[in-house]
Amino acid sequence: MSCLFCRVAAKEIPASIVYEDDRLVAFNDINPQAPMHVLVIPRRHIATLNDLGMDADGLVGEMVRRGAAIAEEGGYAARGYRTVFNCNADAGQTVFHIHLHVLGGRRLGWPPG
Ligand code: 5GP
Ligand code: ZN
């Protein structure tokens, strides 16, 4: 298994896991860009958003709802937070296993750089 986030999900690589179930894993980003920076991934390997099929609609919905729940648990729901999926080179995707960034705890600039 060569994919970094498949290996995190399989616990072959240590991570600070904040949530897991049979379909999802969420863990703290190793290089946080905000006081809260969590990555929500599916256990199933999907390389990019371009590879999503209709069969993943439920899974992506679970990822987004889990990101919102983690932000709420961290106390960021009312003040706000950001969720981001980067896709391919122009967006700066570096790990080719889809992941939802959940960032909160500081004022985030818009538009993004
Ligand atoms: P991307 O740029 O692909 O949207 O985001 C990849 C994210 O994964 C980056 O924010 C990076 O800091 C994070 N990351 C890369 N390698 C590891 C790792 O081994 N462990 C953890 N927890 N995060 C990682
Ligand atoms: Zn993977």
Side-chain angles (χ1 to χ4, degrees):
M1 194 174 5
S2 60
C3 169
L4 180 66
F5 285 175
C6 282
R7 297 184 71 191
V8 168
K11 301 203 174 142
E12 291 178 15
I13 291 177
S16 168
I17 292 174
V18 299
Y19 175 86
E20 63 181 319
D21 62 25
D22 59 336
R23 285 155 66 84
L24 304 180
V25 181
F27 51 95
N28 290 309
D29 196 292
I30 205 167
N31 182 23
Q33 301 301 311
M36 172 185 65
H37 188 171
V38 170
L39 303 174
V40 182
I41 67 168
R43 289 190 184 277
R44 179 180 149 201
H45 180 84
I46 301 169
T48 79
L49 289 194
N50 296 335
D51 303 301
L52 290 173
M54 279 175 60
D55 64 333
D57 286 358
L59 186 60
V60 173
E62 286 177 38
M63 292 173 70
V64 175
R65 285 202 310 110
R66 182 51 51 190
I70 290 167
E72 205 275 335
E73 284 156 17
Y76 301 106
R79 60 182 286 195
Y81 58 93
R82 183 166 296 161
T83 57
V84 177
F85 281 104
N86 292 322
C87 182
N88 279 339
D90 272 5
Q93 185 176 4
T94 58
V95 179
F96 289 87
H97 178 131
I98 60 166
H99 47 280
L100 179 66
H101 294 261
V102 186
L103 299 131
R106 68 171 174 85
R107 186 80 187 199
L108 297 161
W110 192 264

